[in-house]
Amino acid sequence: MYKRIAKRALRIVAVSEYTKKTIVDNYNVNPNRISVIYNGLDPCLFDIEPDNSIFERFPELKTKPFFFTLGSLETRKNLKWIASHAELYPNDFFAISGKPPLKKSSISELAKLKSLKNVLLLGYLSDQQVKALILKCKAFIFPSFFEGFGLPPLEALCYGKDVIISNNSSLPEIYKNSARYINPNDPNVDLDALLETKVDAPDDLLQRLTCKNSAKKLYEVIKEVSGGANIEEKDSVVPSPLISIITITYNNAAGLKKTIDSVASQTFFNYEHIIIDGGSSDGSVEVIKNALKDENYARHVSFWCSEKDGGIYPAMNKGVEKANGDYCLMLNSGDWLAGPKNLERAAAFGLKEDIVYCDAYFVKRGRRRHVRYVKKLTGSFFFVRGLCHQATFIKTSLQKKNLYSNEYKIVNDSDFFMKVLIKQNCSSRHLPIVLSCYDAETGFSSVSGSLHDKEFSMLLNKYYPARVQEDLRAYVKHKYWLLFLCRKIKRMLIQLYERH
């Protein structure tokens, strides 16, 4: 899953150069697509009041100097080092805080620690109790095998404590000369002598690694990915397009309610909702009127009507003519936005192109299929499939100049996309998010497959010369044969792996 995400992401943010290198090595990602932004210190840490009641629960910590470590008690945190060191140096006392592990290997290490008299397992503690322990400990110790960043030592440094950490993974990169280092594979080290060695003051480190600096760098990355939009750094709002959501419905009250609920739940507010009902008699009008009782939703409904029309495409054109937004989104009754933040996420990319299309879920018999679209639309793409208009933003000016024809019964939306993208060469962009769920069971396109095939064949004859169609058929056949072969080989390899 992570490999697929890494391949599809517009930009990857890593918390260290070490993490970046790990991603490049494991997922074969272009390093230029990865930005390194270090974690920042939470300023709220300075406001935490230490809870000294922890010393009443564990009175031995009042009198004994102790080394303190914090984190999940996983194998990679290297509890084995502490156990081995505690056996070699019985005068060194350790206090360990963290959630109990789930893996058997970690549980056995935990059992070993419990048997040692100079190791105290504290369990999960509050932030206030952790601060009290850090302030009183001799030093914070962190013998981890692997860290993508390693935040706990930074918290200890901000409280003015010495830190002893492993000399591997990202830790030397982050802490440089502000920490003392140990070999995570060698527990035979005199910690008291190590603490006598000089290190740099952490002031520069603490000034660099702040949430504010991390946020600024993340802001720059988002700005770059979204096309360099001119966004003020203070007291400003990212300019968002007005999106006209157009819903066509006829005698589908339940589906209409689902659609309206998904629109009304959006965290993005710069939209208008236009509902065109074809004179339903099943309670659809009551669904609309009930929804309008919610003032927060009602202020987004710029137009609605319930009257007979010439069918779905004339109704869609009626909605387009009423649209005031920068972009139109056709979300018919029964279809719904896949999540409450979806419009907000799409707008954050910066909508500029004539056609901006997203992925979608096709839902049928309770099951949903993730439909992923290509990054670049070509003639071969439209030869075998079309875009899902429920997941496609279309510039309103373009849509009004190219209203849907009523030449076909089913494929007029495909006709529109072929006309503007093949014939008129309009600009397009793919956003790697799932925008909508399409009702493939009761939706308009769920009707006769033979009618669809017949009309789609007529469309191909309209936009592709016969000789081009022959070449594309040969290309598509070869492409899908290779895909079939690759999937079959993949299944065979999985079966072999499971048997062995």
PDB file of all heavy atoms in Angstrom, residues 25 29 213 236 259 331 346 460 469:
ATOM      1  N   ASP A  25      15.169   4.287  -1.446  1.00  0.00           N
ATOM      2  CA  ASP A  25      15.755   2.952  -1.589  1.00  0.00           C
ATOM      3  C   ASP A  25      14.697   1.851  -1.668  1.00  0.00           C
ATOM      4  O   ASP A  25      14.840   0.890  -2.422  1.00  0.00           O
ATOM      5  CB  ASP A  25      16.711   2.663  -0.423  1.00  0.00           C
ATOM      6  CG  ASP A  25      17.952   3.537  -0.464  1.00  0.00           C
ATOM      7  OD1 ASP A  25      18.213   4.141  -1.528  1.00  0.00           O
ATOM      8  OD2 ASP A  25      18.639   3.651   0.562  1.00  0.00           O
ATOM      9  N   VAL A  29      11.508   5.874  -5.536  1.00  0.00           N
ATOM     10  CA  VAL A  29      10.880   7.169  -5.795  1.00  0.00           C
ATOM     11  C   VAL A  29      11.952   8.187  -6.162  1.00  0.00           C
ATOM     12  O   VAL A  29      13.047   8.190  -5.589  1.00  0.00           O
ATOM     13  CB  VAL A  29      10.099   7.650  -4.546  1.00  0.00           C
ATOM     14  CG1 VAL A  29       9.534   9.047  -4.755  1.00  0.00           C
ATOM     15  CG2 VAL A  29       8.984   6.684  -4.221  1.00  0.00           C
ATOM     16  N   ASN A 213       8.570  26.857  12.427  1.00  0.00           N
ATOM     17  CA  ASN A 213       9.466  26.670  11.277  1.00  0.00           C
ATOM     18  C   ASN A 213       9.000  25.505  10.403  1.00  0.00           C
ATOM     19  O   ASN A 213       9.053  25.590   9.168  1.00  0.00           O
ATOM     20  CB  ASN A 213      10.898  26.429  11.759  1.00  0.00           C
ATOM     21  CG  ASN A 213      11.539  27.671  12.340  1.00  0.00           C
ATOM     22  OD1 ASN A 213      11.100  28.784  12.059  1.00  0.00           O
ATOM     23  ND2 ASN A 213      12.560  27.504  13.165  1.00  0.00           N
ATOM     24  N   SER A 236      -4.697  35.396   6.213  1.00  0.00           N
ATOM     25  CA  SER A 236      -5.238  35.324   4.862  1.00  0.00           C
ATOM     26  C   SER A 236      -5.939  34.000   4.647  1.00  0.00           C
ATOM     27  O   SER A 236      -5.746  33.041   5.375  1.00  0.00           O
ATOM     28  CB  SER A 236      -4.133  35.497   3.818  1.00  0.00           C
ATOM     29  OG  SER A 236      -3.262  34.398   3.854  1.00  0.00           O
ATOM     30  N   THR A 259     -27.614  12.317  -1.507  1.00  0.00           N
ATOM     31  CA  THR A 259     -26.800  13.315  -2.207  1.00  0.00           C
ATOM     32  C   THR A 259     -26.771  14.623  -1.426  1.00  0.00           C
ATOM     33  O   THR A 259     -25.699  15.206  -1.199  1.00  0.00           O
ATOM     34  CB  THR A 259     -27.360  13.574  -3.621  1.00  0.00           C
ATOM     35  OG1 THR A 259     -27.412  12.336  -4.333  1.00  0.00           O
ATOM     36  CG2 THR A 259     -26.485  14.551  -4.378  1.00  0.00           C
ATOM     37  N   LEU A 331     -23.479  16.123  -9.813  1.00  0.00           N
ATOM     38  CA  LEU A 331     -23.638  15.104  -8.777  1.00  0.00           C
ATOM     39  C   LEU A 331     -25.120  14.745  -8.712  1.00  0.00           C
ATOM     40  O   LEU A 331     -25.896  15.355  -7.984  1.00  0.00           O
ATOM     41  CB  LEU A 331     -23.139  15.636  -7.434  1.00  0.00           C
ATOM     42  CG  LEU A 331     -22.962  14.617  -6.314  1.00  0.00           C
ATOM     43  CD1 LEU A 331     -21.753  13.714  -6.584  1.00  0.00           C
ATOM     44  CD2 LEU A 331     -22.794  15.309  -4.969  1.00  0.00           C
ATOM     45  N   ALA A 346      -9.997  19.036  -2.746  1.00  0.00           N
ATOM     46  CA  ALA A 346      -9.857  19.311  -4.182  1.00  0.00           C
ATOM     47  C   ALA A 346      -9.493  20.769  -4.424  1.00  0.00           C
ATOM     48  O   ALA A 346      -8.599  21.082  -5.220  1.00  0.00           O
ATOM     49  CB  ALA A 346     -11.146  18.954  -4.911  1.00  0.00           C
ATOM     50  N   LEU A 460     -17.417   6.819 -31.325  1.00  0.00           N
ATOM     51  CA  LEU A 460     -16.080   6.552 -31.860  1.00  0.00           C
ATOM     52  C   LEU A 460     -16.027   6.885 -33.343  1.00  0.00           C
ATOM     53  O   LEU A 460     -15.037   7.469 -33.833  1.00  0.00           O
ATOM     54  CB  LEU A 460     -15.704   5.086 -31.622  1.00  0.00           C
ATOM     55  CG  LEU A 460     -15.535   4.643 -30.157  1.00  0.00           C
ATOM     56  CD1 LEU A 460     -15.135   3.179 -30.090  1.00  0.00           C
ATOM     57  CD2 LEU A 460     -14.497   5.501 -29.440  1.00  0.00           C
ATOM     58  N   GLN A 469      -9.097   3.922 -35.625  1.00  0.00           N
ATOM     59  CA  GLN A 469      -9.774   2.952 -34.767  1.00  0.00           C
ATOM     60  C   GLN A 469      -9.117   1.582 -34.852  1.00  0.00           C
ATOM     61  O   GLN A 469      -8.963   0.886 -33.841  1.00  0.00           O
ATOM     62  CB  GLN A 469     -11.254   2.847 -35.154  1.00  0.00           C
ATOM     63  CG  GLN A 469     -12.078   4.076 -34.775  1.00  0.00           C
ATOM     64  CD  GLN A 469     -13.558   3.820 -34.951  1.00  0.00           C
ATOM     65  OE1 GLN A 469     -14.077   2.810 -34.490  1.00  0.00           O
ATOM     66  NE2 GLN A 469     -14.244   4.748 -35.630  1.00  0.00           N
TER      67      GLN A 469
END
